[in-house]
Amino acid sequence: MVSLLLAVRRNLKNLVRILKNETLRALLFMLIIIIISGVIFFMNTEGMRFTEALYTSVVILLPTSIEVNYTPANGFSEMFMLLYLLSGIGLMLTLLLGGVAQLIKKEKLDQEND
């Protein structure tokens, strides 16, 4: 339980650092807009509940091995998913890599100051 609390604390600190960076803040905002569009799409087109739609929208964009078991039902759904994945995965990876780069930069600055 303590390790979970420490991880949450560390992640919140990292989120604050990301929000201080103007570029990363813009990327995060765009990613949130893409996730919201995915939620709206899954709720309206695929008939999912809000929680299912949110889960599916986020998990599809994360670079993990979690299986979503979603197959587009028609041509419109296929085109939406193509655009959703191309834009969302690119933003997600850019945000993750940008956050990591910022942390590495901060660590180097901290080491130089010591």
Side-chain angles (χ1 to χ4, degrees), residues 16-71:
V16 168
R17 284 190 200 121
I18 286 173
L19 292 175
K20 288 181 181 177
N21 184 309
E22 187 176 329
T23 303
L24 294 178
R25 188 173 53 238
L27 287 172
L28 183 62
F29 177 73
M30 289 176 14
L31 184 62
I32 289 170
I33 296 297
I34 287 176
I35 290 173
I36 290 171
S37 71
V39 169
I40 292 169
F41 169 79
F42 287 122
M43 287 177 69
N44 292 329
T45 306
E46 303 299 324
M48 294 182 181
R49 295 184 327 258
F50 174 76
T51 53
E52 286 179 305
L54 180 61
Y55 174 80
T56 303
S57 297
V58 172
V59 170
I60 283 176
L61 297 180
L62 289 174
T64 65
S65 60
I66 297 174
E67 194 169 323
V68 178
N69 291 330
Y70 169 73
T71 304

Side-chain angles (χ1 to χ4, degrees), residues 2-3 5 11 16 22 26 32 34 37 45-46 50 53-55 57 74 76 80-81 83 86 89 91 93 98 108:
V2 173
S3 62
L5 294 174
N11 287 333
V16 168
E22 187 176 329
I32 289 170
I34 287 176
S37 71
T45 306
E46 303 299 324
F50 174 76
L54 180 61
Y55 174 80
S57 297
N74 54 41
F76 173 73
F80 176 83
M81 284 306 296
L83 294 172
L86 288 174
I89 289 174
L91 277 172
L93 290 175
K108 283 184 181 181

